[in-house]
Amino acid sequence: MKSLASFIMRGPSQAALVAATSALLSVMIPLFGVVAAAAVGLVTLRNGARSGALVALIATLGAGLFYGLVFGAPLLVLGVLLLFWVPIWGLALVLRYSRSLALTVEAASLLVMLGLVLVYAVIGDPAAFWTRLLELMREAALAAQPDGAMANAALFGELARWMTGAFAMALTFQVVLALFLARWWQAQLYNPGGFGEGFRAYRLHRPFALLALLVIAGWSLLRGPGLLADLALVAGVGLLLQGLAVVHQLRAQRGRGAGWLVLLYVLLVLLPQLAVVIACLGLLDVWVDIRARAARLPPTQR
């Protein structure tokens, strides 16, 4: 990965090549979308706004040319530009000048939350949009299992109600992950160990945590999918990251190996419900500062 970061930093054409190629590969393997955005983020973090914008522009032209020749739809790449490259460019600038991972994640979350509010204000019921989009999938499922018509209809109807929040949460997570990858690359090249130190110090500001708490409380009262549920899912990304930062810092304070961190991430994949517990830990840390309290304990009690 360090060699890839070095290649990206050789110049705008190399960075654009990585961004455009990764964006094209993301059609088959979504993870490459993170790499594409991270390439733009790394150049922006290191060289500033103009260099990052130049890379995004060249990558958009290159990928658009490919889409035009192969699929006859060059404008498809504009979706990548608007959903990933422009946000990562702006957030990389926030991180470049603030040097705060937490502030940058808050900015990303608030941007997506604002987008959700606008979607509900303009469309009214986004579930209807997702229902139409999922109809082809439902028909394919019914063709494979005709006897499950009613069950399939209910399943896809419920899925459509949650799709807006799930998409918003996934978008937030993917942009933040790309930004973290860009910052990790930057640290590898110019400040070894800097990313780990910065992530272990990750700490949300209380106004954002209070907003998240109010949204989650409102969701718990109203229950079911809707605007508050979607906002809560997006806010939960920042809280989850804070919970993970607490775990990483406690591990560093105790001088433990990385094996149990690997186990934690494996469990997160196998048991996604664990993310709720870790997010609650992050919310608690905002108010009681678990890491600072643990640091004051004698080494034998940590």
Side-chain angles (χ1 to χ4, degrees):
M1 293 297 282
K2 185 175 181 179
S3 59
L4 179 59
S6 299
F7 180 77
I8 291 171
M9 292 308 300
R10 287 182 183 177
S13 59
Q14 288 86 349
L17 176 63
V18 172
T21 304
S22 299
L24 295 173
L25 291 174
S26 68
V27 175
M28 297 177 291
I29 306 175
L31 187 60
F32 276 101
V34 175
V35 177
V40 175
L42 173 60
V43 174
T44 306
L45 281 172
R46 183 64 183 176
N47 296 335
R50 181 177 297 180
S51 296
L54 178 62
V55 168
L57 178 60
I58 297 174
T60 300
L61 294 175
L65 178 63
F66 180 87
Y67 273 115
L69 293 175
V70 177
F71 302 109
L75 295 181
L76 283 176
V77 76
L78 290 179
V80 179
L81 175 69
L82 296 176
L83 283 178
F84 297 110
W85 290 343
V86 170
I88 198 71
W89 175 79
L91 292 170
L93 289 176
V94 173
L95 180 57
R96 174 181 169 89
Y97 293 110
S98 71
R99 300 181 181 275
S100 171
L101 287 173
L103 180 63
T104 309
V105 172
E106 290 171 352
S109 300
L110 291 173
L111 182 64
V112 176
M113 292 168 79
L114 177 60
L116 282 171
V117 172
L118 292 176
V119 165
Y120 273 87
V122 174
I123 297 179
D125 181 18
F129 166 80
W130 292 110
T131 298
R132 292 191 297 270
L133 193 63
L134 292 172
E135 185 62 26
L136 292 177
M137 294 177 57
R138 190 179 77 84
E139 291 177 358
L142 293 178
Q145 189 182 8
D147 295 338
M150 293 302 295
N152 282 331
L155 173 63
F156 279 86
E158 185 65 18
L159 180 62
R161 298 175 65 200
W162 288 99
M163 278 297 293
T164 303
F167 178 81
M169 180 179 66
L171 177 62
T172 306
F173 183 76
Q174 187 165 344
V175 170
V176 168
L177 183 61
L179 183 69
F180 278 28
L181 177 58
R183 179 67 186 90
W184 179 60
W185 278 344
Q186 184 188 31
Q188 278 194 316
L189 293 175
Y190 308 108
N191 181 27
F195 175 78
E197 181 180 348
F199 179 65
R200 289 191 296 272
Y202 174 101
R203 184 176 180 81
L204 295 171
H205 296 85
R206 288 189 175 183
F208 179 85
L210 180 60
L211 173 63
L213 183 60
L214 291 174
V215 168
I216 294 171
W219 175 26
S220 65
L221 291 175
L222 296 178
R223 300 185 178 277
L227 177 58
L228 286 178
D230 297 344
L231 294 174
L233 289 173
V234 173
V237 174
L239 296 175
L240 173 62
L241 291 172
Q242 175 137 345
L244 291 173
V246 171
V247 173
H248 277 261
Q249 179 63 12
L250 293 179
R251 182 202 68 84
Q253 290 175 349
R254 297 186 178 191
R256 301 289 178 84
W260 67 292
L261 280 179
V262 174
L263 176 61
L264 173 64
Y265 284 104
V266 170
L267 289 175
L268 271 174
V269 174
L270 299 177
L271 299 171
Q273 300 88 342
L274 183 60
V276 177
V277 178
I278 298 176
C280 290
L281 176 66
L283 182 61
L284 179 64
D285 182 64
V286 173
W287 308 107
V288 302
D289 201 348
I290 297 171
R291 288 166 284 187
R293 290 173 181 268
R296 291 194 292 265
L297 292 175
T300 56
Q301 297 182 25
R302 293 179 184 175

